[in-house]
Amino acid sequence: MYLGTPGQIADERITLSHGAGGRASHDLVEGIFLRELRNPMLEPLGDSALLAAGRRQLAFTTDSCVVRPLFFPGGDIGELAVNGTINDLAMSGARPVALSAAFIVEEGLPVADLKRVAASIACASLRAGVPIATGDTKVVERGKADGLFINTSGVGCVEPGVVLDPTAVRPGDRVIVSGPIGDHGMAVMAAREEVKLDADIRSDTAPLHFLVAKLLRATAGVRCLRDPTRGGLATVLSELARGAEVGITINEPAIPIRPAVVTACDALGVDPLYVANEGRLIAIVSPDATGTALVALRAHALGREAAVIGEVTAASPGQVRLGGGSSEPRVVDMVAGESLSRIC
Amino acid sequence: MYLGTPGQIADERITLSHGAGGRASHDLVEGIFLRELRNPMLEPLGDSALLAAGRRQLAFTTDSCVVRPLFFPGGDIGELAVNGTINDLAMSGARPVALSAAFIVEEGLPVADLKRVAASIACASLRAGVPIATGDTKVVERGKADGLFINTSGVGCVEPGVVLDPTAVRPGDRVIVSGPIGDHGMAVMAAREEVKLDADIRSDTAPLHFLVAKLLRATAGVRCLRDPTRGGLATVLSELARGAEVGITINEPAIPIRPAVVTACDALGVDPLYVANEGRLIAIVSPDATGTALVALRAHALGREAAVIGEVTAASPGQVRLGGGSSEPRVVDMVAGESLSRIC
């Protein structure tokens, strides 16, 4: 359980909570990395940094994938690494141009596993139309890693006129989610040996840049985009509410979620709102653009089940309130504790 | 000992040789990654990939730092990660614009160590004038990593008119090294608990982009640049000789090397030609530009001990021959076996 002061690291040693994507992760980033490395590109802590290159604006992002196990229903570490970085670029409104892939391999990894991952990366790269431009391979001794870690960084071009920024969010804006939540996290949990689930749940890992391009072409009313990965829907909405200094009210029954995911979450005592997604986005859109945005999203295979799930409010700035269901209304916060570690 | 066929992976499992930067590493990259991911940006396998962004050419590179121990005389993993990626950009003739920093942290790492590394990254970034624009942090369970791994990727702008390409190398070109070799690798070896050396050897880790800018401003006769990191001088020259299909003759007594490094290498039975450097470059320059290049390099603190160490030949394409010393002339190849693992 996390008990620190925001922005301060109370612990003497790094714990799994620091990697869970919630409050402890934020405190680590703000208390150590931002404090030391502060600069105008880094400070927004967005999915990508924005750089000026001549008259073009570039997006630049990095992500290490440490998912366990390496292969799970619906995907593997390679596909996840490619899609994850493409999505970080897409959430900034950038067209992905190229990715890097850097492998840290544990001595003893079967060469067949590495070949399978490389083939999966190739397939994901081809599907997305984004080449792997550069790479690196390091090998560490047996027992000094866990099979394979992959870092993918990415460069994209921000289309002229596109500005996606949490500070543009206004009361009255609607919250849209592009599809059912919780599939990725529960697929990975189910693939772990220690967990036995009957349900057939597959990761939702997918590249979202085509869906985003369709959405941004359809309407100029998109305020900002986020992919609810580590920490899940609740954590990302909490970050948005804090960042934009607004309240967010969510109509819980409107959140799309598959019955199998609900069952699996119940069985494991996990709240699906905190479970990672790898092929979903949250869009905050102006009220008048909501209909157009929904139509655009639903016209794409990856947004077929898009739904309006809530609204931005002037009241309760920084808070995300859930209501509309059979249970009492409640306030949700960023994920605390270890949650599901090594889910991406 | 490596006994495979070039471009083929004979082993069933990944070994430390695959990470040593020599033949086995090449076969891994060519036999798995290049085979699956082949595209025009990746295929040159240069220090950076070159991307078109509007009318500008961008350089893009990635490198994971897995050095052990995290702190060593003359540097640490953070400084090494920053300088290493800056140098990969500089070797492509690019002006570094921004870096990413992605941390994989082992549960239990002292927070003080992470703070020290972050401060070191900040210092190296400030010294080089290249900001950390974006980052990522993952935590893995105790025993699933080794304290800390850092991936740094980088984006740079290639100055108009600059083309550095191994295929431009011609017989008669001179080989220049910017300073004494072997300091980094031996400093790391000396810092490892299992090795006791009396000598005071410090890593040469340094950002080379200012030195490169000075050199490229001084003369248009630079054919290509390489930093002799993993695998050392011999491996990088072998790669160049193969890539450019030329021979290279090295005058061994001309290679600058500190007496303490010679002593330490002798004590450990290590050939300094295969020891990693992190603040040195090799420049292949046209014969008529050699004098100007040497003067430009020696005018900068990081190139004060620059020396011409050899010449490109039409004879013996693909081979690097060492002579001029008291011992018999010999042919050197890429590093084989495990060499010094986790040196960068």
Side-chain angles (χ1 to χ4, degrees), chain B residues 156-198:
Chain B
C157 279
V158 181
E159 303 297 342
V162 171
V163 180
L164 300 174
D165 186 352
T167 63
V169 171
R170 295 285 171 270
D173 287 350
R174 301 297 195 275
V175 181
I176 297 178
V177 65
S178 65
I181 64 163
D183 294 28
H184 173 73
M186 296 321 290
V188 170
M189 291 296 282
R192 290 191 184 165
E193 284 170 48
E194 67 262 40
V195 181
K196 293 282 165 241
L197 294 174
D198 285 337

Side-chain angles (χ1 to χ4, degrees), chain B residues 106-125:
Chain B
E106 183 188 8
E107 176 189 18
L109 182 79
V111 168
D113 283 0
L114 198 57
K115 283 186 176 168
R116 190 174 157 197
V117 170
S120 167
I121 289 176
C123 187
S125 159

Side-chain angles (χ1 to χ4, degrees), chain A residues 9 11-20 28-29 31-33 36-37 39 41-43 46-49 51-56 58 60-66 68 97-112 114-115 118-123 125 131-146 149-155 157 230 338 341-342 344, chain B residues 9 11-20 28-29 31-33 36-37 39 41-43 46-49 51-56 58 60-66 68 97-112 114-115 118-123 125 131-146 149-155 157 230 338 341-342 344:
Chain A
I9 310 293
D11 310 284
E12 287 193 2
R13 290 181 180 273
I14 297 296
T15 67
L16 291 176
S17 301
H18 290 119
L28 183 73
V29 168
I32 297 188
F33 297 124
E36 290 290 348
L37 304 171
N39 68 68
M41 287 190 259
L42 182 65
E43 199 150 359
D47 284 317
S48 303
L51 326 177
R55 283 179 302 181
R56 301 298 293 259
L58 294 179
F60 181 34
T61 191
T62 190
D63 192 46
S64 297
C65 202
V66 299
R68 178 175 63 85
V97 171
L99 302 182
S100 64
F103 302 84
I104 298 176
V105 191
E106 184 188 7
E107 177 190 16
L109 181 79
V111 168
L114 198 58
K115 282 186 177 169
S120 168
I121 290 177
C123 186
S125 159
I132 307 295
T134 186
D136 178 58
T137 310
K138 294 292 189 311
V139 180
V140 298
E141 305 89 335
R142 208 178 286 262
K144 300 299 183 185
D146 195 12
F149 302 140
I150 304 179
N151 177 283
T152 40
S153 299
V155 175
C157 279
R230 202 165 39 157
E338 302 183 2
S341 79
R342 301 189 53 195
C344 59
Chain B
I9 311 291
D11 310 285
E12 285 193 3
R13 290 182 180 273
I14 297 296
T15 67
L16 291 176
S17 302
H18 290 118
L28 183 73
V29 168
I32 296 187
F33 297 124
E36 289 292 347
L37 303 171
N39 68 67
M41 287 190 259
L42 183 65
E43 199 150 0
D47 285 316
S48 303
L51 326 177
R55 281 179 304 180
R56 300 298 292 260
L58 294 179
F60 180 35
T61 190
T62 190
D63 192 45
S64 297
C65 201
V66 299
R68 178 176 63 84
V97 171
L99 303 183
S100 64
F103 302 84
I104 298 175
V105 191
E106 183 188 8
E107 176 189 18
L109 182 79
V111 168
L114 198 57
K115 283 186 176 168
S120 167
I121 289 176
C123 187
S125 159
I132 308 295
T134 186
D136 178 58
T137 310
K138 294 293 190 310
V139 180
V140 299
E141 305 89 336
R142 209 179 283 264
K144 300 298 184 185
D146 194 12
F149 302 140
I150 303 179
N151 177 282
T152 40
S153 299
V155 175
C157 279
R230 200 165 41 157
E338 303 182 3
S341 79
R342 301 188 53 195
C344 59

